[in-house]
Amino acid sequence: MNRLTFIALTLKRLTADWVGLFFTIVLPVGMFIMFGALQPYGEMQAGHGNVSAHTMVSMALYGGATAAVAAAGMTVVERSSGWGRQLALTPLRGGDLMLAHGANILVRVLLPVIAVNIAGLVTNADMPVERWLAAAALCVAAAIPFGFFGMIFAALFRSDSAVSVAATSLVILAFASNMFMPLSEDLLAFARFTPLYGPSVLAHFPLSEGVQLTNGGGLQTESLTFALVMTLVWFGVFAGICWALEHRQKGRA
């Protein structure tokens, strides 16, 4: 088995995961339609677009992050279940496996981001094309690091249910980051340090340029620098925990 064949087989397995595809693609699209496209306030002006576009970006990022968590987490579960030892008997190298897993995560992240953006395109989402493309690309880039979040749960509990719990927990993080509904100014001060806050500000930046709506109709502006720093900090935290867990498990082997 060569590298390209293994990558193709890995990606082909996506077609068998109907439950996972539903929760990472259909659910975010449905949430966008329900809370964005079908709402009377969807066509109201919001930054360089409308409210529906803002909701679209939120749901695309949420779907992408959920997909990254599920995809990366399952690779750890499969490896701990003995699949990794089976692959070790093949001519494939470690770099080939990493490339295949990376391709799997990237495709899984792309699918919900593309699906939500298509839903926005055929409904009432509106913003300039160049900003639209930038927001979609940032959704993908900001979602991929959450694969480490899924890997943490998978390494700790080594079960499919643990990965599902990790993906579900992103709903709480999304609410806590001001993605799904406006928070009060006091809560927003806390939200600025939650894992999804920085990625959310980055993904929305082409549309809103850091402007945040608070509960009560107020507006606050977040800097691009702070959003980028917080995104990198949480990326480092997740990656560091994954490294520590991997190091601990190898030490016990």
Side-chain angles (χ1 to χ4, degrees):
M1 181 186 298
N2 59 39
R3 177 189 303 176
L4 294 179
T5 302
F6 181 67
I7 293 175
L9 290 174
T10 301
L11 296 178
K12 186 178 180 180
R13 293 171 57 196
L14 289 173
T15 59
D17 187 15
W18 293 109
V19 175
L21 292 177
F22 175 84
F23 281 102
T24 58
I25 299 177
V26 179
L27 185 59
V29 170
M31 292 172 67
F32 159 69
I33 293 174
M34 183 179 299
F35 299 112
L38 294 181
Q39 297 301 320
Y41 53 75
E43 297 186 3
M44 293 177 60
Q45 183 72 20
H48 293 278
N50 58 11
V51 173
S52 186
H54 189 279
T55 305
M56 178 190 71
V57 174
S58 296
M59 297 310 169
L61 175 60
Y62 166 71
T66 302
V69 168
M74 288 309 301
T75 61
V76 176
V77 172
E78 290 175 352
R79 186 178 63 183
S80 63
S81 65
W83 176 238
R85 288 189 292 272
Q86 292 292 326
L87 290 176
L89 300 177
T90 70
L92 294 171
R93 299 180 179 180
D96 298 330
L97 300 180
M98 291 183 62
L99 184 61
H101 291 323
N104 179 44
I105 294 172
L106 177 60
V107 170
R108 281 186 176 264
V109 170
L110 282 171
L111 288 176
V113 173
I114 292 173
V116 174
N117 276 271
I118 290 176
L121 185 64
V122 300
T123 55
N124 61 348
D126 179 61
M127 64 173 139
V129 174
E130 66 277 7
R131 292 180 180 273
W132 197 316
L133 294 175
L138 286 170
C139 282
V140 174
I144 288 177
F146 281 87
F148 287 106
F149 184 71
M151 291 171 66
I152 291 171
F153 278 76
L156 286 174
F157 303 105
R158 301 187 183 185
S159 68
D160 297 357
S161 59
V163 178
S164 299
V165 170
T168 304
S169 68
L170 288 181
V171 177
I172 300 174
L173 294 178
F175 274 107
S177 67
N178 208 38
M179 273 179 59
F180 285 171
M181 59 179 293
L183 301 175
S184 66
E185 293 185 5
D186 291 338
L187 288 177
L188 189 57
F190 165 78
R192 297 176 73 234
F193 301 96
T194 57
L196 264 173
Y197 180 82
S200 176
V201 173
L202 285 178
H204 287 93
F205 211 86
L207 174 66
S208 62
E209 295 185 349
V211 176
Q212 304 260 22
L213 178 66
T214 62
N215 189 7
L219 297 176
Q220 289 191 12
T221 302
E222 188 61 80
S223 71
L224 180 61
T225 300
F226 181 83
L228 182 59
V229 168
M230 291 308 302
T231 300
L232 294 176
V233 165
W234 279 108
F235 172 72
V237 169
F238 293 151
I241 294 175
C242 286
W243 178 86
L245 291 173
E246 181 74 13
H247 185 72
R248 184 186 68 177
Q249 290 173 2
K250 286 183 178 179
R252 292 178 176 179

